[in-house]
């Protein structure tokens, strides 16, 4: 359903004014944030929000995050901001943290997929905040990718997925973090982490004490078990053509496994690994992801997209430890491989 000649404008005053005019007339716009690109609409308009679901091919049961330009706007979106949620806002906002609270009556059920709770986020990205401010309304926005594919971290990814189906992309260059925000549910008795992100579990616990890990976040859901977050589909962030295999274990064993797998099988293989492992590999397409988890996280979606052009059958990804930002990285890797992990010794 192509109906637009999608424009790409830089995220300056002119671009933002044009984007805000589209939002105010009930349209949708893709924009950069510090995590990934978002696809936004007025959070007060169910008709505009429906256009997001159509453009992405998003399942109707998956709720959207509502983005605000300053903390004062939070009370438009949630009618019950708890003291612990306020403490998180005061300490970790603006930033890559989405906080789930009871929704206010103004937020249509279309945004929350029928839930009485809503996710709120105040982004750190200056351009994103300027855009929301210019719109004059909170902005409901999921990641700006076709549903099921890796999130978009560069304007060219947004165009590859959504060109022709949206009128405008606000170009803020490559995203600073490259994985989606941390999602924490603060609407119940106990805080529950539903999606790890750049804000780590450790950082959250410093501010509010014990945080539980949601079901289905780091392990597959058991049969009959339902996830608190409808977004926790098993297969997600997945390349379209290639199969991802996640490798855990010592570097030497990893190098041997990849080399012998590629020799014995007729598959076309790629290895997404830290630079120290990349240096020891040959005979396979190598993507060196730097040495620290931030660099790896930052390049992950771009790399998976680049490798998914049909030229590769199997993508080996190196697993990391679940500390700090490592938990977010492992969460995305586990979903990309559908929890198919090969443990090596
Ligand atoms: O970094 C980000 O969070 C990006 C940028 C654009 O802000 N947005 C993003 O949105 O990643 P999306 O829609 O791709 O992911 C939102 C996640 C989904 O897993 C969704 O199910 C969950 O948050 N979510 C949203 N509202 C929720 C609610 N009320 N209860 C439970 N989960 C919710
Ligand atoms: Mg998404």
């Amino acid at each position: 359903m192509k109906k637009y000649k999608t424009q790409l404008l830089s995220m300056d005053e002119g671009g933002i004014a044009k984007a805000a005019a589209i939002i105010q007339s009930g349209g949708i716009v893709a924009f950069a944030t510090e995590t990934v690109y978002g696809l936004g609409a007025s959070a007060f308009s169910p008709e505009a929000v429906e256009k997001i679901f159509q453009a992405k091919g998003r399942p109707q049961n998956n709720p959207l995050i509502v983005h605000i330009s300053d903390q004062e706007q939070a009370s438009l979106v949630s009618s019950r901001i708890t003291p612990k949620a306020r403490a998180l806002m005061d300490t970790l906002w603006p930033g890559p943290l989405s906080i789930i609270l009871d929704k206010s009556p103004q937020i249509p059920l279309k945004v929350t997929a029928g839930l009485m709770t809503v996710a709120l986020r105040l982004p750190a990205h200056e351009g994103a905040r300027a855009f929301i401010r210019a719109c004059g309304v909170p902005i409901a926005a999921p990641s700006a990718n076709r549903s099921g594919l890796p999130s978009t971290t560069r304007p060219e990814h947004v165009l590859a997925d959504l060109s022709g189906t949206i009128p405008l992309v606000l170009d803020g260059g490559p995203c600073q973090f490259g994985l989606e925000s941390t999602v924490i549910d603060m609407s119940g008795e106990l805080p529950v982490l539903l999606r790890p992100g750049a804000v780590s579990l450790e950082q959250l616990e410093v501010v509010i004490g014990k945080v539980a890990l949601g079901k289905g976040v780091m392990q597959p859901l058991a049969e009959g078990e339902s996830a608190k977050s409808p977004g926790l589909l098993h297969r997600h962030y997945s390349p379209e053509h290639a199969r991802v295999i996640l490798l855990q274990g010592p570097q030497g064993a990893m190098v041997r496994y990849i080399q012998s797998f590629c020799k014995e099988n007729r598959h076309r293989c790629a290895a997404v690994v830290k630079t120290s492992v990349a240096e020891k590999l040959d005979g396979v397409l190598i993507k060196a992801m730097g040495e620290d988890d931030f660099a790896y996280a930052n390049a992950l979606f771009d790399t998976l997209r680049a490798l998914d052009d049909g030229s590769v059958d199997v993508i080996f990804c190196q697993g990391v430890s679940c500390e700090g930002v490592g938990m977010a990285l492992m969460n995305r890797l586990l979903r990309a491989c559908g929890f198919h992990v090969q443990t090596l010794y």
Side-chain angles (χ1 to χ4, degrees):
M1 186 197 48
K2 306 242 170 204
K3 55 177 182 176
Y4 296 104
K5 185 165 178 352
T6 304
Q7 263 192 301
L8 184 65
L9 292 179
S10 51
M11 222 166 170
D12 54 19
E13 226 177 290
I16 286 174
K18 184 132 198 200
I22 293 175
I23 296 289
Q24 282 156 2
S25 62
I28 59 177
V29 169
F31 62 102
T33 82
E34 74 278 21
T35 56
V36 298
Y37 274 74
L39 181 58
S42 164
F44 293 149
S45 165
E47 296 77 22
V49 168
E50 173 57 23
K51 293 181 188 169
I52 296 177
F53 283 88
Q54 294 300 330
K56 285 190 57 137
R58 184 175 177 98
Q60 291 286 342
N61 70 351
N62 200 1
L64 309 183
I65 296 172
V66 176
H67 298 69
I68 53 180
S69 59
D70 54 64
Q71 243 198 76
E72 285 67 57
Q73 268 193 333
S75 56
L76 296 176
V77 183
S78 171
S79 44
R80 195 175 68 92
I81 300 174
T82 61
K84 277 189 177 178
R86 184 62 75 190
L88 288 176
M89 293 174 181
D90 288 340
T91 323
L92 296 165
W93 273 4
L97 175 65
S98 300
I99 302 174
I100 297 177
L101 289 166
D102 290 348
K103 78 171 198 72
S104 74
Q106 292 101 294
I107 297 296
L109 290 167
K110 181 97 230 168
V111 171
T112 65
L115 298 173
M116 294 312 285
T117 57
V118 64
L120 281 87
R121 174 157 123 78
L122 176 58
H125 194 287
E126 299 272 354
R129 286 208 307 277
F131 160 63
I132 303 163
R133 207 174 303 121
C135 294
V137 285
I139 295 294
S143 49
N145 51 282
R146 259 198 298 129
S147 203
L149 290 188
S151 294
T152 49
T153 60
R154 294 166 179 269
E156 53 273 27
H157 301 158
V158 182
L159 290 176
D161 276 21
L162 299 172
S163 190
T165 58
I166 61 174
L168 175 64
V169 180
L170 279 180
D171 180 353
C175 296
Q176 186 201 341
F177 182 54
L179 297 183
E180 309 85 347
S181 65
T182 303
V183 178
I184 187 167
D185 186 355
M186 298 300 292
S187 67
E189 282 280 293
L190 192 69
V192 184
L193 181 65
L194 296 182
R195 184 174 70 185
V199 172
S200 68
L201 182 66
E202 295 86 338
Q203 275 175 293
L204 294 167
E205 290 193 327
V206 167
V207 183
I208 53 168
K210 184 72 192 148
V211 174
L213 192 57
K215 280 187 202 147
V217 174
M218 300 306 284
Q219 272 161 351
L221 286 170
E223 222 181 309
E225 221 173 22
S226 70
K228 193 90 195 265
S229 192
L232 289 171
L233 297 168
H234 277 190
R235 243 179 109 74
H236 198 24
Y237 308 108
S238 323
E240 278 186 304
H241 307 287
R243 180 159 64 99
V244 176
I245 299 177
L246 182 55
L247 299 178
Q248 281 286 40
Q251 294 200 350
M254 209 169 279
V255 169
R256 285 193 298 277
Y257 186 86
I258 296 173
Q259 307 255 99
S260 64
F261 183 100
C262 299
K263 227 182 253 164
E264 285 160 25
N265 292 278
R266 297 176 56 126
H267 299 306
R268 298 162 301 169
C269 301
V272 175
V273 289
K274 294 204 170 173
T275 305
S276 50
V277 174
E279 282 161 357
K280 300 186 189 99
L281 276 171
D282 56 52
V284 42
L285 178 58
I286 298 161
K287 295 284 180 185
M289 307 299 274
E291 218 41 61
D292 67 62
D293 290 348
F294 268 100
Y296 190 166
N298 186 269
L300 179 66
F301 289 154
D302 185 46
T303 303
L304 291 181
R305 280 177 172 269
L307 287 175
D308 201 30
D309 60 0
S311 64
V312 171
D313 306 309
V314 176
I315 303 173
F316 289 105
C317 291
Q318 178 174 358
V320 299
S321 97
C322 279
E323 276 144 50
V325 72
M327 185 186 268
L329 181 51
M330 275 302 280
N331 170 269
R332 306 315 188 270
L333 288 170
L334 283 166
R335 300 211 128 59
C337 71
F339 290 95
H340 184 97
V341 184
Q342 183 73 46
T343 307
L344 308 169
Y345 299 95

